[in-house]
Amino acid sequence: MTSVTAGHGGLKPLNGIKIEVAGQTGCGTSGGDGKSGCGSAAGAADLPAEIWEKVKNHPCYSEEAHHHYARMHVAVAPACNIQCNYCNRKYDCSNESRPGVVSQKLSPEQAAKKVLAVASAIPQMTVLGIAGPGDALANPKKTFDTFRMLQEQAPDIKLCLSTNGLALPDFVDEIVKYNIDHVTITINMVDPDVGAKIYPWIFYNHKRIHGREAAEILTERQMLGLEMLTARGVLTKINSVLIPGVNDRHLIDVNKAVKARGAFLHNIMPLISEAEHGTVFGLTGQRGPTAQELKEVQDACIGGANLMRHCRQCRADAVGLLGEDRSSEFTIEQVESMNVVYDLDKRRLYQQKVEAQREAQATAKTAALAAQGEDDGMKCLVAVATKGQGKVNEHFGHAREFQIYEVSAGGATFIGHRRVDHYCQGGWGEDEVLPSIVTAINDCHAVLVAKIGACPRDELKQAGIEPVDRYAHEFIEQAALGWFLDYRARIATGEIAHRPRGDAAIRQGAYLAA
Ligand code: CLF
Ligand code: SF4
């Protein structure tokens, strides 16, 4: 792998950094084996203490934390310095949620006030991210003014930013100065020929640059920025958009390249592409991947940088747990009229209760694992309806997404989520919605829910998906492993036969705000 060279930006190579960072790569869980969600399955025992401190309450950097802790974004960064073929920031709709889309842009002062208001109302909100709607570092003054204010006014909140990486090498000192421990870089390629199919232009050194040359500069700057952050001890997450036929297999090379430069996590996300979004890919009919295609690329990266699989591709003004969006409760007008009291003790007390619950969850998982017999290699996917706290606690009809777990006698591992429309509309089951839910979880053997009505129960059974409500309000891993033990027992007695399932669809249309 080539190191970063003094390229278009006249930047000097960072010789030696790769070697230095290889030793401190990621979380160090089992040597960074690419398993789902480093720092997720990984707990305090698997990680160096200083890394665990940084990730344990960050819902994106820890899969486990995402059941309990919330993040919010403030949309202070409208401009962007590159163009991606999957992005159109002009499109907004209250029912739509995808990166680059916001309802209100904020000044740094408004943003700081909003963060304090949200942190007071939602004590599990631990992370503030700046993720657009453009690029955080193409709007450096607004981005760092916001961070400065928050560092002074809400010192317990972790700061996070997301960037395309073009301007990153210029701002590493600022990032370190404001204690921004978490930086996401979107890296879709390390080969400029691939990049030319994704980025029509960049704006760099006061010039618009097109085609392969643009992609070449972008990749050099991204790699350099990543190396510099690693050298300064900042945790980095790499987001990659999987674009079938453009960069699908290439993302395995991206995974290796970012691991070598010390990336903590790699988040491979499906392309969201519909003509109605007005993006180049949407208009040219570029499709997104199926659930199986996404999982195949993620699984092929096992052995490289650790994988994040619980990303919800948030709006640039998202508020709440991943998978929910409470942004409509905190508009500028609502925040202005709130009497905000930032009570640090109350927040700490709440978070102590969350930690006690996490411990109970870990204990339940250990007990459920101990009950499993010998691992015969069988694996099943199960869908879970949850509204947080790591429990099976959502009614089938109220679920806006299902979390997908791969279960075997060796464990229950989160592998992704599938967004769906509400089945239950105003107290009635919506029969037209059910086929789309079945399509979304068609690769699963069972769906674990807190409750389910007779009609969807029958239809799910007909589709070969077992509806299961007997683990209502149990912890998810405990419930999934309990179901799996019972499933294998029924196979052993000949009551049922194990059959492989088909593929499932990742929702491509407008993502509904919860
Ligand atoms: Fe926001 Fe991103 Fe920070 Fe998280 S989101 S800036 S790292 S606080 Fe998280 Fe949302 Fe996925 Fe981003 S689920 S899009 S990975
Ligand atoms: Fe859109 Fe982000 Fe790409 Fe800029 S970097 S064009 S904001 S997706």
Side-chain angles (χ1 to χ4, degrees):
M1 190 177 318
T2 54
S3 188
V4 175
T5 56
H8 297 266
L11 291 152
K12 293 196 175 72
L14 288 175
N15 291 333
I17 284 186
K18 279 197 299 171
I19 296 157
E20 188 186 325
V21 299
Q24 60 171 71
T25 290
C27 63
T29 52
S30 319
D33 63 356
K35 67 189 169 191
S36 173
C38 164
S40 54
D46 309 282
L47 297 170
E50 70 280 8
I51 304 279
W52 174 242
E53 266 315 301
K54 285 183 183 176
V55 303
K56 70 176 185 188
N57 296 351
H58 194 308
C60 303
Y61 280 69
S62 161
E63 188 271 310
E64 189 197 305
H66 103 279
H67 296 288
H68 305 279
Y69 289 108
R71 55 72 185 100
M72 71 175 289
H73 292 160
V74 284
V76 295
C80 192
N81 48 6
I82 71 172
Q83 180 62 55
C84 306
N85 279 334
Y86 50 75
C87 179
N88 174 11
R89 296 187 304 287
K90 290 189 187 118
Y91 185 96
D92 190 11
C93 162
S94 59
N95 273 338
E96 211 238 7
S97 174
R98 63 193 161 83
V101 173
V102 293
S103 297
Q104 291 177 309
K105 289 168 192 157
L106 304 180
S107 69
E109 291 74 20
Q110 288 171 321
K113 191 155 188 203
K114 180 172 175 177
V115 174
L116 295 180
V118 172
S120 303
I122 308 179
Q124 66 270 47
M125 194 282 282
T126 48
V127 177
L128 177 270
I130 296 182
D135 183 76
L137 298 180
N139 304 262
K141 179 151 176 28
K142 288 179 182 158
T143 294
F144 291 110
D145 277 355
T146 306
F147 284 139
R148 181 179 43 75
M149 283 185 245
L150 286 168
Q151 201 186 31
E152 289 161 9
Q153 296 174 41
D156 66 322
I157 292 180
K158 288 188 202 313
L159 304 176
C160 195
L161 76 79
S162 173
T163 175
N164 59 45
L166 182 63
L168 179 57
D170 303 333
F171 292 106
V172 169
D173 286 345
E174 290 282 283
I175 286 168
V176 172
K177 178 173 152 193
Y178 290 110
N179 290 329
I180 298 161
D181 280 337
H182 305 82
V183 172
T184 295
I185 316 169
T186 301
I187 300 181
N188 297 316
M189 54 87 204
V190 287
D191 175 350
D193 288 325
V194 176
K197 296 176 193 162
I198 303 171
Y199 306 102
W201 55 260
I202 65 169
F203 194 78
Y204 183 62
N205 277 349
H206 313 290
K207 278 192 311 216
R208 191 172 290 225
I209 301 161
H210 297 263
R212 192 183 190 284
E213 188 191 357
E216 202 175 348
I217 296 168
L218 183 61
T219 189
E220 283 182 3
R221 300 280 292 173
Q222 289 173 332
M223 294 300 127
L224 177 58
L226 171 57
E227 291 183 352
M228 291 171 78
L229 288 174
T230 301
R232 306 290 290 270
V234 178
L235 288 189
T236 49
K237 174 167 70 59
I238 307 306
N239 280 358
S240 299
V241 181
L242 194 167
I243 310 159
V246 175
N247 70 349
D248 33 10
R249 301 303 296 175
H250 180 59
L251 289 182
I252 300 164
D253 294 335
V254 172
N255 184 278
K256 287 181 190 147
V258 300
K259 179 184 179 179
R261 290 168 175 83
F264 180 74
L265 269 183
H266 190 194
N267 171 23
I268 300 176
M269 312 177 290
L271 171 72
I272 301 169
S273 178
E274 282 287 302
E276 74 216 43
H277 298 154
T279 62
V280 170
F281 281 151
L283 294 170
T284 54
Q286 170 64 54
R287 71 172 178 89
T290 67
Q292 209 162 52
E293 286 170 334
L294 177 64
K295 186 169 184 297
E296 271 168 20
V297 174
Q298 289 173 331
D299 288 351
C301 289
I302 287 175
N306 291 291
L307 298 173
M308 171 187 188
R309 305 202 201 209
H310 61 283
C311 176
R312 301 302 197 280
Q313 293 171 281
C314 316
R315 291 169 61 99
D317 58 2
V319 173
L321 292 172
L322 305 191
E324 72 172 6
D325 185 7
R326 297 178 58 181
S327 55
S328 62
E329 296 171 38
F330 300 94
T331 61
I332 297 172
E333 297 73 29
Q334 284 160 314
V335 167
E336 292 295 345
S337 68
M338 283 178 189
N339 180 23
V340 174
V341 181
Y342 194 73
D343 188 339
L344 208 51
D345 288 338
K346 187 174 148 202
R347 285 175 53 75
R348 285 199 181 119
L349 207 63
Y350 183 92
Q351 290 173 18
Q352 278 167 11
K353 283 188 198 151
V354 171
E355 288 311 305
Q357 191 156 42
R358 284 175 82 172
E359 273 176 36
Q361 184 176 1
T363 307
K365 182 178 173 181
T366 306
L369 258 179
Q372 300 290 320
E374 200 181 318
D375 192 347
D376 56 5
M378 184 195 287
K379 286 181 179 172
C380 293
L381 299 187
V382 297
V384 178
T386 175
K387 52 185 174 189
Q389 301 169 341
K391 290 184 173 172
V392 182
N393 55 5
E394 184 64 292
H395 192 300
F396 177 83
H398 298 165
R400 284 199 183 268
E401 70 165 32
F402 289 93
Q403 298 197 356
I404 311 296
Y405 281 74
E406 188 168 70
V407 206
S408 69
T413 310
F414 177 94
I415 63 141
H417 70 283
R418 310 281 163 73
R419 296 197 191 200
V420 295
D421 284 331
H422 262 171
Y423 171 67
C424 191
Q425 309 274 350
W428 299 96
E430 187 56 70
D431 290 340
E432 284 169 19
V433 171
L434 199 52
S436 71
I437 298 179
V438 169
T439 308
I441 59 171
N442 192 41
D443 48 354
C444 297
H445 280 81
V447 56
L448 310 187
V449 297
K451 207 170 174 190
I452 184 167
C455 179
R457 182 186 291 273
D458 290 345
E459 291 211 28
L460 284 165
K461 275 189 197 160
Q462 272 174 27
I465 303 167
E466 188 183 333
V468 183
D469 58 5
R470 63 181 176 279
Y471 301 105
H473 304 288
E474 284 190 13
F475 287 113
I476 295 172
E477 294 91 345
Q478 176 189 24
L481 287 163
W483 170 83
F484 187 68
L485 191 63
D486 176 62
Y487 181 72
R488 286 205 303 170
R490 283 181 284 150
I491 293 168
T493 60
E495 183 187 334
I496 55 168
H498 177 64
R499 293 201 175 84
R501 302 284 309 158
D503 201 353
I506 294 172
R507 187 182 177 124
Q508 282 294 300
Y511 278 11
L512 293 177

